[in-house]
Structure formats: C-alpha cells, structure tokens
Amino acid sequence: MNLVVLTGAGISAESGLATFRDLGGTWSQVRLEEVATPEAFLADPARVQAFYDARRAQLRRVAPNPAHEALARLERAWTRGDFLLVTQNVDDLHERAGSRRLLHMHGELRSARCLACGADSPWDEDIRPESACTACGTAGRLRPHVVWFGEMPLYMEAIEVALSRCALFVSIGTSGQVWPAAGFVRMIPRDARSVEINPERSQMADAFAEHRRGPASVEVPRLVAELLA
Ligand code: OAD
C-alpha cells in the first residue's frame, strides 16, 4: 500500500511556528505581497531578506513535535509499499525528526539560491548584500530558496506520480487554500483512502473521506500507531 502524506503549517504550530491564515497568523502580521512575491524582492530586497532571515533564525529556537516524530517513525517502519512525505513547509522540522523521503515543494529556509548560476546551497546564516554563492562565488545575488506566489512549486512531476499510485493520502495541518497542494486530494486514485487531520474544517474538507478533528501532535501519532499495528 503506497502512502503519500502532505503537511502544512499546522503540523509545526505546536512547535511554536506561526501558521499563515489562522487568527494572528503570519499573513495577518505582514502583507504577503510585500514579502512573498518576486515583485516584492525586486522592489525591496532588504525587506524580503530580513523577513526570511528572521524565520531562518527562529528555526534554532524550535524543535520537532510528536507529529513530526510519528511521520519519521512511519517512514522507517513502512514496508508494505512506497512512502512519500510532501511538505509545503519551509522549516526543517521534518528532517530534524528523521524524515528522509521528503520533498519540500515550497523550498527550504535553510537554503539559498544563486540568481547568477542557479545553484541552491545549504545556508544557515542571514543572507547579506555581500554574501557570496558557495558554488560560483558571485556575491550579492543570493535569494532565499523558497517558492514565492507566482512561482512554480518544486518537484511537481514526482509528486503527481506518487499521488497517482497511492492507496492512502493523508493531509495534515493545511488550510487547502493554496494550489496546487489544495488539489492533491483530487489527484489520487478513485479507490484510495483519504484522511484529513486538522482541528478545523479546511477549504478542501469535502474532498476527504475521513476527518480527524484534533491537533496534529495527538492525531498523527494515533493514525501512525493504527497504520503500524
Ligand atoms: P495555513 O496557515 O493556510 O493553514 C494552517 C492550517 O493548520 C489551518 O487549516 C489550521 O486549522 C491548521 N492547524 C492549526 N493548528 C494545528 C494543529 N495543532 N494541528 C493540525 N492542524 C493545525 O497554512 P498552509 O495551508 O500550510 O506558502 O499554507 C499553505 C501555504 O500558504 C504555505 O506553504 C505558504 C503560505 O502562504 C508560501 O509561502 C508559498
């Protein structure tokens, strides 16, 4: 039985990282048009870099929670088929919990992309105006390796193949408001099982056969225990 798991900001909420669209979420504090579009970066690169620098620095103050840990456990123990974890999150909590078969479709905070040579490389510090690309050495052309609104999400081909072959699709902590991830549940085979884990009804809730209404830190370990029983 092939599994595909999709995660969103809700899985990291209990680790202390704000979601985007909940009350008090990131997009109520800062306008996404000012920090999360290519146009914003052209208009005010320092502002955009500062936004992502702060979020990158915040990663040092948070840790994976039982939901991240349960998914890593599931990946390690799953021998009945393929396993793929797709995350919309740019944090590194899945890999720190031990996940390896993981695709960051919206990129990663701890990575910088060079606009001169196109390479992306691990990046743990602030991206400064004088920062140089570790691949080509060009200074001043680095941007966060995150997908902005208006840009193509990453790894879509591999994700679509995995979705088309899965027997179970689990969506955790995502509002179902951002595409293409919102549409993944409609791309699985007709007879596949679909489970949504979210304390609230997401915008895509009607497309799921099963709903588990509760926090990820409780509901994910519970589902994983059932799958491994
Ligand atoms: P949202 O902020 O849109 O949605 C977060 C979801 O998590 C909501 O449906 C909450 O109900 C749910 N949630 C909150 N606490 C939870 C908990 N403890 N356990 C489980 N669920 C919980 O975040 P995303 O759907 O991830 O993109 O947003 C998708 C994309 O929009 C992000 O990747 C980002 C953003 O703009 C880019 O920046 C490109």
Side-chain angles (χ1 to χ4, degrees), residues 31-55:
R31 294 184 59 230
L32 76 85
E33 294 82 358
E34 288 177 17
V35 294
T37 65
E39 294 77 18
F41 187 61
L42 277 177
D44 193 348
R47 163 120 171 76
V48 173
Q49 298 284 20
F51 174 75
Y52 290 98
D53 286 346
R55 296 181 66 203

Side-chain angles (χ1 to χ4, degrees), residues 7-26:
T7 63
I11 197 168
S12 298
E14 292 164 87
S15 292
L17 296 178
T19 61
F20 295 96
R21 295 173 183 79
D22 290 306
L23 203 66
T26 302

